[in-house]
Amino acid sequence: MKNWIKILCAALLLYAAVFSLWHPMAPGGLAVSATELHPGRNDFEFSGYGTHFKEAEGSLKVYVSIDSSAVYCADILQVVDDSRVFVSVFLPDTISSKRFGFAANNDVDGTIIVDSPVGHEGFVFMQGTGNPDCRYSVRQEEFSGFGFPYQPIIIESIRNLMWHVPMWFTMFVLMTIGFIFSIRALGKEEGKIELDHDLRASSAAAVGLVFCVLGLVTGSLWARFTWGDWWTNDPQLNGAMVVFLVYVAYFILRSSTPDEDKRARLSAIFNIFAFVLMVVLLMVMPRFTEGLHPGKSGNPAFSKYDLDSSLRSVFYPACAGFILLGYWIYRLNYRIQKLEQHHENQN
Amino acid sequence: MRQVFQSTFLQSVGYEKSGVYKLGCIFDRMNTLSALLKKEILLEWRQKHALAGVILYVLATVFVCYLGFQRIESVKTWGVLLWITGVFTAFNAMQRSFSTETAGTQLYLYTLADPRFIILSKAIYNAIFVAVLNLVSVFFFLLFFGTELLDSVDWSQFLLGLLLGSTGLGLALTFVAGIAFKSQGGVGLVAILGFPIIMPLLITIVRHSTAALEGASATSNGLNLMVLLVLNIVSFVLSYVLFPYLWRE
């Protein structure tokens, strides 16, 4: 079959688009109305996201963990609807804390945890001392339905993973194609082959630049939702911006060199420089500097804890689909450029 | 005839494979390089008006900073201003790097020496030149702004960073100036191509200088120094490998 790449690409993208937008979220804990716990009776509202409190009212249990060392059970529960429950917990005289966490157990949703509103860092939900009648345990039977994993700040925007990350992968693939053809363009002595390779390199870089812009836009949207700003001071973001500028400079260099052979040679040299810079900026530097992206100052990628099987089953096809799409557009672009060149030469 | 005899004779005794020959080659290359470097320095020295022009540029930039700021409130501003001055000075110095030579001179040089040595000599010369200019700008900064903020400066670290940053700027910008010169795209092209290329270097050197000025320990600042070194090596290797292709007409 001649067009199998295109059909495969379209099928993968359709699958990724449909599932990344329609796949439900797994339930998770959203927020707690209390900011401080004091001795005596504490009343607050526990709200979940996509939970089934009403449906599983009978089996619902809410736990409070204080300073990662003591657990108490809520003794009065008043379910408002599927995502909200009023909780009242009685604490002994000695307990008072700003570092606390909540967990809710029920038969449908499994265990849901809300971190402490103040000072999340290093907070672990532990049994420790506390009320001996109240045994907290993570329910083995997790949420039975399927859904994307719930992450505290990301929530629904985890769907962007299937759009934002493949853009960068596609850009990397296209820039690598450009890099390889730039090297080959320099390797050949004959003018004709050199020009053809140059054309391939520049077509790939042009499409790669479009994917770079798309990656920046999707990333900017995501940053606005999770980090609060359209642009944040993160090594990966700044690096991506520099990469964008370098490749724009590449096209400025091309357009300001009138002679064809010279343009081919100069832009091939600059492209090699740009590619090396891109690898340094996006793959090496973020590992050394503190940042906001997942796996900061380590491996800049989603770790195995964040990327569960339901995400993987959409994420990998999305990557493959976008890479194929990028390759397809690059081929089209190359052929258009070639035709234009041919046309110019004939006139 | 005598030369042919000599070379065949020397080949027959395996002279070309001997360590003496290889050492001789290295010396030969060093000679070429030092001759080219000498040429660059001589050219600069003979055009003292140009040299004076660049130093005037540094002085004017620092003086404008002084008029604008009067006194610098934070160490960070000190570092950033210093390197903004440094970058613009480097661009200014670099624009003359290739354009002062006519096409005839370049062809003549090309017949005499390996293009690698031409770029190497230019890059080394420019690295030294930018380093000297940056030292001059540090002097002017100290002159105008005083040392009130700089009680805990680690001078050796600061100067090491200044040196590495300057050589990095010199190496990368020489190469970019070569590309811009060959494309005949005008003076502005050096800045357009050069700015994104030196951005990582610039970010790192500002970070390093600021930390050194604040008196950070050598171990905590070592990573920045490492990154600077790596960027220097990368731009050096790329220039060395790619320049012959750039020079080929």
Side-chain angles (χ1 to χ4, degrees):
Chain A
M1 214 153 86
K2 197 182 153 202
N3 292 326
W4 67 273
I5 283 189
K6 297 167 193 172
I7 293 165
L8 181 67
C9 167
L12 284 171
L13 284 179
L14 193 69
Y15 167 79
V18 167
F19 273 83
S20 72
L21 296 176
W22 284 355
H23 203 66
M25 295 288 298
L30 194 61
V32 166
S33 61
T35 55
E36 193 173 352
L37 293 185
H38 46 83
R41 191 150 283 286
N42 295 270
D43 299 316
F44 50 86
E45 189 192 73
F46 183 104
S47 50
Y49 190 89
T51 46
H52 304 82
F53 290 153
K54 198 87 188 170
E55 193 184 323
E57 200 174 346
S59 61
L60 183 65
K61 272 200 161 98
V62 176
Y63 307 88
V64 183
S65 170
I66 290 150
D67 291 332
S68 297
S69 62
V71 171
Y72 293 90
C73 285
D75 43 6
I76 303 171
L77 296 174
Q78 201 178 348
V79 179
V80 181
D81 54 30
D82 265 349
S83 61
R84 281 187 302 159
V85 56
F86 273 110
V87 177
S88 183
V89 61
F90 187 79
L91 298 178
D93 289 347
T94 49
I95 298 288
S96 147
S97 177
K98 286 193 172 183
R99 277 177 57 79
F100 49 88
F102 294 91
N105 267 348
N106 71 29
D107 285 344
V108 181
D109 301 324
T111 301
I112 295 158
I113 291 178
V114 174
D115 284 335
S116 165
V118 190
H120 297 246
E121 267 173 57
F123 191 86
V124 191
F125 212 93
M126 267 166 63
Q127 177 66 43
T129 58
N131 189 351
D133 298 333
C134 169
R135 305 296 314 175
Y136 164 73
S137 62
V138 176
R139 289 182 77 102
Q140 289 303 314
E141 66 276 22
E142 289 278 317
F143 174 61
S144 51
F146 74 145
F148 289 143
Y150 176 93
Q151 307 264 2
I153 298 163
I154 299 173
I155 315 178
E156 290 270 359
S157 75
I158 196 143
R159 300 171 193 282
N160 201 4
L161 177 77
M162 282 58 135
W163 303 88
H164 173 63
V165 183
M167 299 298 168
W168 296 110
F169 286 174
T170 313
M171 187 197 78
F172 259 96
V173 170
L174 287 167
M175 293 315 184
T176 311
I177 291 173
F179 174 64
I180 289 167
F181 277 111
S182 284
I183 289 179
R184 288 180 63 183
L186 285 181
K188 297 277 181 187
E189 289 292 325
E190 293 86 1
K192 197 158 178 98
I193 303 166
E194 193 182 74
L195 283 181
D196 186 58
H197 284 340
D198 172 58
L199 210 60
R200 282 170 194 266
S202 74
S203 319
V207 183
L209 196 60
V210 172
F211 275 93
C212 179
V213 172
L214 288 175
L216 281 175
V217 170
T218 50
S220 193
L221 282 169
W222 208 356
R224 176 79 186 126
F225 186 79
T226 53
W227 303 331
D229 268 315
W230 295 107
W231 197 271
T232 47
N233 190 19
D234 176 82
Q236 211 121 16
L237 258 79
N238 295 337
M241 194 62 196
V242 175
V243 168
F244 172 73
L245 290 178
V246 169
Y247 276 98
V248 170
Y250 168 77
F251 286 102
I252 291 175
L253 173 67
R254 287 184 69 81
S255 61
S256 65
T257 318
D259 183 64
E260 247 179 8
D261 284 314
K262 198 177 258 179
R263 186 202 304 147
R265 202 166 45 245
L266 292 179
S267 57
I269 290 169
F270 193 79
N271 195 18
I272 292 171
F273 222 98
F275 183 80
V276 173
L277 200 72
M278 182 181 82
V279 172
V280 169
L281 277 168
L282 292 185
M283 298 179 89
V284 182
M285 294 256 282
R287 287 167 202 242
F288 289 122
T289 30
E290 284 288 310
L292 295 162
H293 267 84
K296 62 177 178 177
S297 62
N299 181 17
F302 268 74
S303 67
K304 61 179 177 182
Y305 303 108
D306 300 331
L307 202 59
D308 84 334
S309 57
S310 71
L311 281 176
R312 267 174 232 260
S313 65
V314 188
F315 177 61
Y316 291 147
C319 288
F322 272 110
I323 288 170
L324 285 179
L325 181 72
Y327 181 75
W328 183 6
I329 300 175
Y330 145 67
R331 291 289 305 171
L332 286 177
N333 190 19
Y334 162 66
R335 274 142 70 189
I336 292 169
Q337 303 282 340
K338 185 131 184 124
L339 277 177
E340 269 176 10
Q341 204 180 45
H342 186 70
H343 191 68
E344 266 174 34
N345 288 347
Q346 285 210 322
N347 286 345
Chain B
M1 191 65 204
R2 202 175 141 212
Q3 272 183 338
V4 172
F5 168 73
Q6 258 186 358
S7 65
T8 46
F9 171 72
L10 289 174
Q11 262 173 19
S12 67
V13 290
Y15 177 66
E16 286 189 354
K17 283 181 187 136
S18 72
V20 179
Y21 177 77
K22 281 174 186 163
L23 204 64
C25 284
I26 292 170
F27 275 130
D28 204 33
R29 285 176 190 176
M30 294 301 275
N31 275 336
T32 322
L33 197 61
S34 64
L36 283 167
L37 206 59
K38 209 169 152 191
K39 182 215 90 183
E40 294 285 337
I41 295 171
L42 258 176
L43 270 180
E44 193 70 58
W45 188 245
R46 283 184 187 158
Q47 296 177 313
K48 286 194 201 66
H49 61 280
L51 192 65
V54 178
I55 290 177
L56 179 71
Y57 183 87
V58 178
L59 177 62
T61 316
V62 181
F63 191 58
V64 166
C65 288
Y66 171 69
L67 290 180
F69 280 90
Q70 303 295 330
R71 58 187 293 274
I72 293 178
E73 310 276 328
S74 79
V75 176
K76 196 160 193 172
T77 320
W78 220 100
V80 174
L81 273 183
L82 178 70
W83 279 106
I84 287 178
T85 315
V87 165
F88 280 99
T89 315
F91 272 114
N92 207 353
M94 216 56 65
Q95 268 157 11
R96 299 181 307 116
S97 180
F98 286 89
S99 52
T100 45
E101 286 169 358
T102 59
T105 319
Q106 280 176 358
L107 197 62
Y108 177 59
L109 281 177
Y110 190 53
T111 57
L112 284 181
D114 189 333
R116 290 199 169 115
F117 293 125
I118 298 174
I119 183 80
L120 223 54
S121 67
K122 272 192 197 302
I124 291 172
Y125 171 70
N126 281 334
I128 297 169
F129 191 45
V130 173
V132 170
L133 285 175
N134 275 335
L135 281 177
V136 171
S137 89
V138 169
F139 171 74
F140 284 139
F141 264 90
L142 291 176
L143 187 72
F144 285 115
F145 292 108
T147 52
E148 54 178 322
L149 277 172
L150 311 174
D151 297 328
S152 53
V153 181
D154 188 344
W155 282 110
S156 60
Q157 219 188 119
F158 174 73
L159 287 179
L160 192 61
L162 191 84
L163 193 72
L164 277 179
S166 305
T167 51
L169 282 179
L171 289 170
L173 287 183
T174 307
F175 189 70
V176 170
I179 293 177
F181 174 71
K182 281 282 170 184
S183 89
Q184 292 159 335
V187 191
L189 204 56
V190 183
I192 294 169
L193 300 183
F195 251 114
I197 291 270
I198 59 164
M199 209 87 85
L201 185 84
L202 206 57
I203 297 162
T204 320
I205 185 62
V206 166
R207 215 177 279 152
H208 180 273
S209 287
T210 313
L213 286 171
E214 277 169 347
S217 70
T219 42
S220 70
N221 215 356
L223 189 65
N224 286 330
L225 212 59
M226 274 284 286
V227 174
L228 278 182
L229 201 63
V230 168
L231 288 174
N232 265 290
I233 291 168
V234 166
S235 32
F236 175 79
V237 169
L238 280 177
S239 312
Y240 189 77
V241 172
L242 293 176
F243 196 72
Y245 296 103
L246 182 65
W247 220 233
R248 190 186 293 159
E249 284 291 345

